[in-house]
């Protein structure tokens, strides 16, 4: 399997995968979404809450706040030396105290372990005059297969499109209708493969240009929620996948 980065931003990377089969690419996608661990709030204890939102709703919103995650510092609860009792090596404690009128933000969560929300301006609730919110929360490492709040991002792929012309192909019309298609001599080419959409494909088909899908080449997109470095996510997922394959190999032998 060969990987080539096509486009990269702070929280998004698109790469071209070649010489690979569908099961392997899908295994990479699932490893990214389900197996790479991140930190998320798991427990919330309310001391006071007379806001418009019930405790359960606020706790759910807090659980979905992406938290900056340091995988070298924290252990899984079940793997920690404290044997699951909870300590500074496997848990992070937060405290929040707010009095209205104000908008309570993710940045109002104060950590005792240095862990912070990825997006500090994410609103949690609005407090009116004489309304108070006081709580404590506990975050831990988890995986996306347990709950979506632990997922580090969104990963998806599609087949690499290949254009085939026939004697009836109207390539000039295709280029007129799509900004992502360009005529070069007698050929029709895709300007930016990362921007290819179903609309472009439909334009080609309507103008007698065949679009084949190479099932050994893929455009793979990864959008990170920000808990981990986007550049490191593919390597982390591949390392986890390799470890699982080695474990399977031992069981088979």
């Amino acid at each position: 399997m060969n990987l080539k980065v096509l486009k990269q931003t702070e929280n998004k990377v698109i790469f071209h995968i070649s010489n690979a089969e569908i099961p392997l690419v899908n295994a990479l996608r699932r490893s990214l979404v389900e197996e790479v661990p991140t930190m998320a709030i798991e427990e919330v204890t309310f001391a006071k809450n007379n806001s418009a939102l019930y405790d359960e709703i606020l706790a759910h919103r807090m659980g979905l706040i992406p938290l900056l995650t340091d995988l070298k510092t924290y252990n899984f609860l079940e793997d920690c030396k404290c044997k699951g009792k909870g300590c500074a090596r496997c848990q992070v404690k937060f405290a929040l105290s707010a009095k209205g009128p104000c908008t309570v933000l993710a940045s109002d969560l104060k950590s005792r372990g240095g862990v912070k929300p990825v997006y500090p301006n994410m609103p949690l609730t609005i407090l009116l005059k004489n309304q108070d919110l006081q709580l404590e929360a506990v975050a831990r490492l988890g995986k996306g297969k347990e709950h979506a709040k632990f997922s580090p991002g969104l990963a998806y792929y599609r087949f690499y499109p290949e254009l085939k012309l026939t004697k009836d192909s109207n390539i000039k019309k295709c280029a007129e209708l799509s900004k992502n298609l360009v005529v070069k001599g007698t050929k029709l080419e895709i300007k930016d493969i990362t921007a290819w959409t179903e609309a472009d494909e439909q334009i080609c088909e309507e103008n007698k240009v065949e679009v084949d899908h190479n099932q050994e080449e893929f455009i793979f997109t990864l959008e990170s929620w920000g808990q981990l470095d986007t550049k490191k996510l593919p390597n982390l997922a591949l390392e986890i996948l390799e470890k699982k394959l080695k474990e399977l190999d031992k069981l088979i032998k």
Side-chain angles (χ1 to χ4, degrees):
M1 182 171 70
N2 300 317
L3 279 75
K4 179 184 178 182
V5 176
L6 300 176
K7 185 179 288 186
Q8 185 171 304
T9 60
E10 184 179 358
N11 288 328
K12 186 176 182 179
V13 59
I14 303 174
F15 45 92
H16 176 206
I17 299 178
S18 57
N19 298 322
E21 295 182 354
I22 297 172
L24 180 58
V25 178
N26 193 48
L28 172 60
R29 180 193 66 81
R30 293 190 63 173
S31 182
L32 277 163
V33 174
E34 298 180 359
E35 297 291 344
V36 176
T38 67
M39 190 78 73
I41 290 174
E42 179 74 357
E43 299 176 10
V44 183
T45 303
F46 290 89
K48 190 173 184 180
N49 175 26
N50 56 3
S51 70
L53 298 184
Y54 294 118
D55 292 355
E56 294 85 354
I57 297 175
L58 267 175
H60 182 263
R61 289 174 68 88
M62 292 171 63
L64 296 175
I65 296 173
L67 301 175
L68 291 171
T69 301
D70 183 358
L71 296 177
K72 294 181 179 179
T73 301
Y74 296 97
N75 305 314
F76 283 105
L77 197 65
E78 59 271 21
D79 297 332
C80 192
K81 292 181 179 179
C82 70
K83 298 181 180 180
K85 295 179 180 179
C87 67
R89 293 287 295 171
C90 61
Q91 290 183 341
V92 178
K93 293 185 178 181
F94 292 88
L96 188 153
S97 180
K99 186 176 181 64
C102 69
T103 298
V104 182
L105 304 175
S107 58
D108 293 318
L109 281 165
K110 304 303 179 184
S111 165
R112 299 173 189 173
V115 177
K116 298 179 181 179
V118 176
Y119 308 104
N121 293 325
M122 182 180 289
L124 295 178
T125 187
I126 295 175
L127 297 179
L128 302 179
K129 187 178 180 180
N130 297 324
Q131 289 185 333
D132 297 271
L133 180 61
Q134 295 177 19
L135 59 85
E136 289 187 348
V138 178
R140 67 169 178 88
L141 281 179
K143 298 180 180 180
K145 63 183 180 182
E146 298 177 55
H147 193 287
K149 66 183 179 182
F150 292 114
S151 181
L154 174 67
Y156 56 94
Y157 63 88
R158 50 193 170 86
F159 297 119
Y160 198 97
E162 295 179 345
L163 306 182
K164 290 189 176 181
L165 305 182
T166 66
K167 62 179 181 179
D168 298 320
S169 298
N170 190 343
I171 59 176
K172 290 184 178 180
K173 189 66 174 179
C174 289
E176 288 176 10
L177 294 173
S178 173
K179 294 180 180 179
N180 200 25
L181 292 169
V182 60
V183 176
K184 289 188 177 180
T186 58
K187 295 182 179 180
L188 182 67
E189 296 183 0
I190 301 171
K191 287 183 182 179
D192 183 2
I193 194 65
T194 64
W196 181 257
T197 65
E198 290 183 0
D200 296 319
E201 188 166 331
Q202 185 175 352
I203 288 170
C204 289
E205 291 175 351
E206 289 176 352
N207 290 281
K208 310 300 181 183
V209 176
E210 295 180 6
V211 181
D212 286 346
H213 300 97
N214 189 331
Q215 298 198 13
E216 291 186 352
E217 293 190 44
F218 308 84
I219 304 300
F220 197 104
T221 303
L222 169 62
E223 296 183 39
S224 168
W225 305 145
Q227 303 102 312
L228 298 165
D229 187 345
T230 309
K231 298 176 185 177
K232 296 179 180 179
L233 279 176
N235 286 334
L236 286 171
L238 287 170
E239 287 172 7
I240 293 169
L241 185 58
E242 184 180 11
K243 183 180 178 181
K244 284 182 170 290
L245 289 172
K246 287 181 179 179
E247 291 174 356
L248 177 62
D249 187 53
K250 288 180 181 179
L251 291 172
I252 293 173
K253 290 180 179 179

